Amino acid sequence: MATLSLSSLTTSFTTSLSFSSNVSMKPTSSSSSSSNTLSLPIRQQRKLSSLKVSATVEEAAEPVNLRDYVKSRLPGGFAAQKIIGTGRRKCAIARVVLQEGTGKVIINYRDAREYLQGNPLWLQYVKVPLVTLGYESSYDVFVKAQGGGLAGQAQAITLGIARALLKVSADHRSPLKKEGLLTRDSRVVERKKVGLHKARKAPQFSKR
């Protein structure tokens, strides 16, 4: 009887051990599955947060409609304004209107830095007359430019601003004239000649 009781005890003990081992193994699998299930929502949340950030950046970068802004600032168009000047350089023509403001420069319904491609020399041409009189932050400049290239248009805008400043006050003539800002630069490209490659470039000489 004692042997039977011992054998029964050993069998029950082994079954209990196997059951406990099975029970202990199940939480690990469930924990790994739960970790996998938890990791997916975190990734999705990261994606959603990145999408939200990009959406806010795009909303903040929406451009302002400068055409409507210029029309609101210039009722009746360019021709109806009082402080206006026309500048020319090469084949470029620029009509300039000055209004009291903070120093904005808008060319053909676009920001001056964007229109002139961020070229510091061309931007300096536009600001020279205002800087000469100390008005760089006192007037907003609205320009309609056509013809020629960006360099010619920038220099035409310089002359247009200088002529418009004369309508603000006649006392501006002497400082502007001293800097040569009221002189129309009449230099243009010399025309091509017959028998030459360009205005003066001749074909290579051949003796025979």
Side-chain angles (χ1 to χ4, degrees):
M1 294 293 291
T3 57
L4 289 172
S5 62
L6 286 171
S7 63
S8 62
L9 286 172
T10 53
T11 54
S12 63
F13 183 73
T14 54
T15 55
S16 64
L17 283 175
S18 63
F19 178 75
S20 64
S21 64
N22 290 330
V23 170
S24 63
M25 289 296 290
K26 285 180 181 179
T28 57
S29 62
S30 63
S31 64
S32 63
S33 63
S34 64
S35 65
N36 291 331
T37 55
L38 287 172
S39 63
L40 289 174
I42 292 171
R43 291 175 184 174
Q44 292 177 356
Q45 289 176 2
R46 287 178 181 174
K47 289 181 180 179
L48 289 173
S49 62
S50 63
L51 288 173
K52 288 179 182 178
V53 170
S54 63
T56 54
V57 170
E58 289 176 358
E59 288 176 0
E62 287 183 357
V64 180
N65 192 350
L66 290 178
R67 185 177 292 273
D68 294 339
Y69 173 74
V70 172
K71 288 182 178 180
S72 65
R73 290 290 302 274
L74 305 177
F78 278 69
Q81 308 306 314
K82 294 181 179 179
I83 307 176
I84 187 170
T86 303
R88 294 179 179 85
R89 174 75 174 97
K90 297 181 182 178
C91 296
I93 302 172
R95 300 180 70 189
V96 180
V97 171
L98 298 182
Q99 279 196 354
E100 293 184 359
T102 58
K104 292 180 181 178
V105 181
I106 298 175
I107 306 173
N108 291 346
Y109 307 108
R110 293 166 63 186
D111 183 68
R113 186 172 294 278
E114 177 191 353
Y115 186 83
L116 298 176
Q117 301 177 357
N119 190 306
L121 182 61
W122 298 341
L123 291 170
Q124 185 180 359
Y125 284 152
V126 174
K127 295 180 180 178
V128 164
L130 297 172
V131 172
T132 302
L133 300 175
Y135 291 155
E136 59 270 17
S137 59
S138 302
Y139 286 95
D140 289 340
V141 182
F142 302 95
V143 182
K144 268 189 178 180
Q146 61 182 359
L150 293 179
Q153 289 182 3
Q155 296 177 48
I157 292 168
T158 303
L159 181 59
I161 294 174
R163 288 179 174 176
L165 287 170
L166 291 180
K167 296 184 179 180
V168 175
S169 174
D171 297 334
H172 295 158
R173 178 175 292 276
S174 57
L176 291 173
K177 190 173 182 180
K178 185 178 180 180
E179 296 295 329
L181 299 174
L182 295 175
T183 303
R184 203 279 201 206
D185 193 349
S186 61
R187 294 175 299 170
V188 293
V189 177
E190 189 177 348
R191 79 169 189 88
K192 182 185 178 300
K193 310 299 189 303
V194 177
L196 302 181
H197 289 306
K198 295 172 69 176
R200 302 192 181 188
K201 183 178 180 181
Q204 185 178 2
F205 172 74
S206 177
K207 193 171 183 179
R208 295 180 182 84

